[in-house]
């Protein structure tokens, strides 16, 4: 599989400068929302179609070589925990072992600002 467990913030630190390190080519967006407080809806979602197409618009001219995903859990009373990298949100939580799932495409795709990439998730 081309999925890897990566700490994008650590990778950015190791690269030394922003130009050579990982960058987000598009604004983060939810791909999947599982409501654990609604068992019937959760069952329908998990038993439904395995894949759907998501369209992502790049925010600047770039070369795309990977897709990164992370999770967020929100609970009652505003309780929240996320593996979101600081690359996506400078106020993101920092905790040991925090990782994102990164899928390496196996090639580099040149994209222009405003172009859309369709991903099957």
């Amino acid at each position: 599989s081309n999925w890897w467990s990566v700490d994008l913030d650590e990778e950015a630190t190791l690269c030394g400068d922003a130009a050579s390190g990982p960058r987000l080519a598009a604004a983060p967006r939810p791909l999947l929302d599982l409501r654990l407080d609604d068992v019937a809806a959760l069952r329908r979602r998990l038993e439904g179609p395995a894949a759907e197409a998501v369209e992502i618009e790049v925010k600047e001219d770039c070369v795309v070589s990977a897709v990164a995903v992370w999770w967020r859990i929100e609970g009652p009373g505003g309780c929240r925990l996320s593996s979101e990298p600081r690359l996506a949100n400078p106020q993101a939580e920092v905790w040991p072992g925090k990782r994102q799932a990164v899928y390496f495409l196996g090639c580099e795709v040149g994209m222009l600002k405003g172009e859309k990439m369709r991903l099957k998730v």
Side-chain angles (χ1 to χ4, degrees):
S1 169
N2 286 348
W3 284 102
W4 291 82
S5 175
V6 175
D7 181 339
L8 291 173
D9 296 328
E10 179 68 17
E11 292 297 319
T13 301
L14 292 172
C15 288
D17 69 272
S20 63
R23 295 179 300 142
L24 299 183
R29 60 167 288 183
L31 296 179
L32 177 64
D33 183 14
L34 299 175
R35 301 221 19 121
L36 302 179
D37 60 347
D38 184 344
V39 175
L42 178 61
R43 180 171 285 131
R44 282 192 304 276
R45 177 62 178 115
L46 294 176
E47 292 174 353
E52 54 188 71
V54 174
E55 206 167 73
I56 298 172
E57 184 175 324
V58 298
K59 60 185 180 183
E60 62 187 52
D61 294 356
C62 60
V63 175
V64 177
S65 61
V67 175
V69 296
W70 52 87
W71 51 263
R72 180 179 65 216
I73 299 171
E74 295 178 2
C79 180
R80 180 179 186 269
L81 182 63
S82 174
S83 65
E84 176 181 43
R86 294 178 76 78
L87 287 172
N89 174 7
Q91 285 78 42
E93 299 96 351
V94 176
W95 43 276
K98 180 173 83 167
R99 300 273 188 272
Q100 297 78 42
V102 177
Y103 184 85
F104 291 95
L105 301 176
C107 65
E108 294 182 335
V109 180
M111 305 284 298
L112 299 175
K113 179 180 179 177
E115 276 192 293
K116 295 179 181 171
M117 178 178 274
R118 285 180 56 88
L119 303 171
K120 209 171 191 182
V121 296

